[in-house]
Amino acid sequence: MKRKLLFGERMLLGDGTEPFNAVIPFRLRGVFSEEDIQYALSRLQEKHPWLRALIQYDEQNVPWFQIPVLPVSIPVRIIQRQHEEQWQEESKQEWHSAFDYTATPLIRFVWIKGEEVSDMLFVFHHCLCDGGSAMALLYEFLKVLDNPAADIGLENPIFGIQDVVPAHILQNGKKRFKAKAIGRLAALAIKCIPVSKKAIDRQNDYLIHWKLEETTSKQLISLCKSSGVTVNTFLGATVLEAFKKVRGSAAFNKVSCPVDIRRFAPQIKDDHIFAFGLMIVMASNQKISFLDNLRLMQDEVEYKTAKLNPYITMMVMESAHDALKNFTKLLKQGKSSNDCMFSNLGRIQIPDQYQEFSLETIFSPSVIGPLGNTTTMVTSTYRGQMDFSFVGSEGYLPETEALAIRDEIIARIRQQLDYQEAS
């Protein structure tokens, strides 16, 4: 079983010399055996073919997911748990550890083993799956870890663009011509954009993590509902204000926000292993009040989201494989135009109580790679608490400024909640 990598997957894969890894950390209270963990991971590989896949190149040097005759198990690294923040240290180590993807799968597992409490990390190459896929895998892993006989089904995997884009669109002559024309124009434009001779030196990478208290999280959700805006828009606006306050004229007043393709393409199921993302950009009007700006931003977000067309986007990208090298070069060496990537996974609907253990928390995933500005903020809500992972590199955003931005975000959330309470 094999399939060619799509354009976006090839871009994330790169040439294999620079890791582009996502880490999903979580904390369990209970006692486990290595055999139980290995078995649960093997069940994931049984269900999801691409978790068994390696990367192989054909004679044109095009990469393919290919499942070997004798599949390789998901590697497990076990270390003794020494302190509460150890998962952050291990996350950073995993960012920088490249996958030997011609010999091992594009997924591995870290068990920070404690007597009563363990922290565990799923680590994926970002070309394998997105945040939605990762949460589905975590749900299935915990289900089997608790009950080895649990039924998690079998995935009907995606083999290519034909499994995502409906045939009446993919085979439509006008749409195919439009996609190819856009792809050609984009390829030409990318080739003409001037870039630096070398990429910015990232220097040291860092991870800043924090949680909001459950009461604060509930109050924030309530504020957003009463204001007629989503939590995503509220937090995006708050992030923009924090960057402006801390960075001044160096701030871009732009954050890029991933949009789950599953909202628009029902062919992609929640448990599909897939890594294609859609994107919108948020900006704020800094001449009006925060609340007035929120409503304008919400309208803009809804307008931009409604215009997203995953099918045409995929067709455009698949027509531009020959532009991959120039596009990657632009991302690596072009000037940054966004303050950060901001991703809100929303409420994670995974049970916390099991027969044999309890899931104390899921830390928001972190991801870092070589394609330009690494500044990324991921938030999620689990067991009523909002959780934030803020990733960056000194060469793009000094950690001292990132810490100040975190403090500003927390202060501005508190300020808006106090204002609501007072009014």
Side-chain angles (χ1 to χ4, degrees), residues 24-149:
I24 294 84
F26 55 101
R27 178 168 292 164
L28 298 181
R29 181 172 292 275
V31 178
F32 311 93
S33 71
E34 183 178 354
E35 291 75 18
D36 290 341
I37 289 173
Q38 291 276 14
Y39 177 75
L41 294 173
S42 72
R43 288 286 305 282
L44 295 185
Q45 286 187 295
E46 286 178 15
K47 173 176 178 175
H48 303 284
W50 306 130
L51 297 188
R52 309 193 298 269
L54 311 179
I55 298 291
Q56 302 292 337
Y57 290 86
D58 62 21
E59 52 278 5
Q60 280 81 42
N61 205 36
V62 174
W64 291 65
F65 290 122
Q66 184 159 349
I67 299 174
V69 177
L70 297 175
V72 180
S73 298
I74 294 172
V76 177
R77 180 166 65 91
I78 304 173
I79 54 176
Q80 291 302 310
R81 190 172 189 265
Q82 298 173 337
H83 57 84
E84 290 274 305
E85 309 305 321
Q86 194 171 350
W87 67 270
Q88 297 186 36
E89 298 171 3
E90 296 302 325
S91 293
K92 288 185 277 190
Q93 179 176 327
E94 291 296 333
W95 292 345
H96 302 133
S97 299
F99 281 91
D100 181 8
Y101 54 59
T102 61
T104 61
L106 293 158
I107 172 177
R108 54 180 180 253
F109 192 85
V110 180
W111 179 13
I112 308 173
K113 184 179 180 181
E115 291 185 7
E116 296 181 355
V117 176
S118 289
D119 293 329
M120 300 181 181
L121 314 177
F122 269 114
V123 186
F124 306 91
H125 196 294
H126 198 14
C127 77
L128 182 69
C129 72
D130 60 7
S133 300
M135 290 301 118
L137 289 175
L138 176 54
Y139 168 78
E140 294 165 356
F141 170 79
L142 295 171
K143 190 173 181 179
V144 176
L145 185 63
D146 186 53
N147 175 15

Side-chain angles (χ1 to χ4, degrees), residues 64-272:
W64 291 65
F65 290 122
Q66 184 159 349
I67 299 174
V69 177
L70 297 175
V72 180
S73 298
I74 294 172
V76 177
R77 180 166 65 91
I78 304 173
I79 54 176
Q80 291 302 310
R81 190 172 189 265
Q82 298 173 337
H83 57 84
E84 290 274 305
E85 309 305 321
Q86 194 171 350
W87 67 270
Q88 297 186 36
E89 298 171 3
E90 296 302 325
S91 293
K92 288 185 277 190
Q93 179 176 327
E94 291 296 333
W95 292 345
H96 302 133
S97 299
F99 281 91
D100 181 8
Y101 54 59
T102 61
T104 61
L106 293 158
I107 172 177
R108 54 180 180 253
F109 192 85
V110 180
W111 179 13
I112 308 173
K113 184 179 180 181
E115 291 185 7
E116 296 181 355
V117 176
S118 289
D119 293 329
M120 300 181 181
L121 314 177
F122 269 114
V123 186
F124 306 91
H125 196 294
H126 198 14
C127 77
L128 182 69
C129 72
D130 60 7
S133 300
M135 290 301 118
L137 289 175
L138 176 54
Y139 168 78
E140 294 165 356
F141 170 79
L142 295 171
K143 190 173 181 179
V144 176
L145 185 63
D146 186 53
N147 175 15
D151 180 13
I152 57 173
L154 291 173
E155 179 192 1
N156 183 19
I158 291 172
F159 281 94
I161 187 172
Q162 71 280 0
D163 292 332
V164 177
V165 181
H168 72 275
I169 296 176
L170 190 61
Q171 296 169 10
N172 182 286
K174 289 183 178 179
K175 293 187 185 297
R176 291 173 64 181
F177 178 80
K178 177 182 176 181
K180 192 167 185 178
I182 294 173
R184 292 301 88 207
L185 285 172
L188 180 61
I190 288 167
K191 193 173 182 179
C192 295
I193 295 173
V195 296
S196 302
K197 291 185 178 179
K198 62 179 182 178
I200 291 174
D201 180 9
R202 267 168 51 178
Q203 303 174 45
N204 292 330
D205 301 320
Y206 54 81
L207 168 62
I208 301 169
H209 172 262
W210 74 96
K211 285 181 180 289
L212 297 183
E213 293 179 353
E214 186 174 354
T215 301
T216 304
S217 300
K218 287 181 178 178
Q219 289 173 339
L220 176 52
I221 293 169
S222 177
L223 170 61
C224 292
K225 286 182 179 178
S226 64
S227 302
V229 301
T230 63
V231 173
N232 191 69
T233 299
F234 180 96
L235 291 175
T238 304
V239 168
L240 286 166
E241 284 207 338
F243 267 88
K244 181 65 177 177
K245 177 69 181 295
V246 173
R247 305 212 77 198
S249 60
F252 295 103
N253 187 33
K254 287 183 182 177
V255 293
S256 51
C257 303
V259 179
D260 190 352
I261 191 174
R262 293 165 183 81
R263 291 173 56 183
F264 306 92
Q267 298 85 348
I268 307 172
K269 307 304 180 186
D270 288 343
D271 62 350
H272 265 135

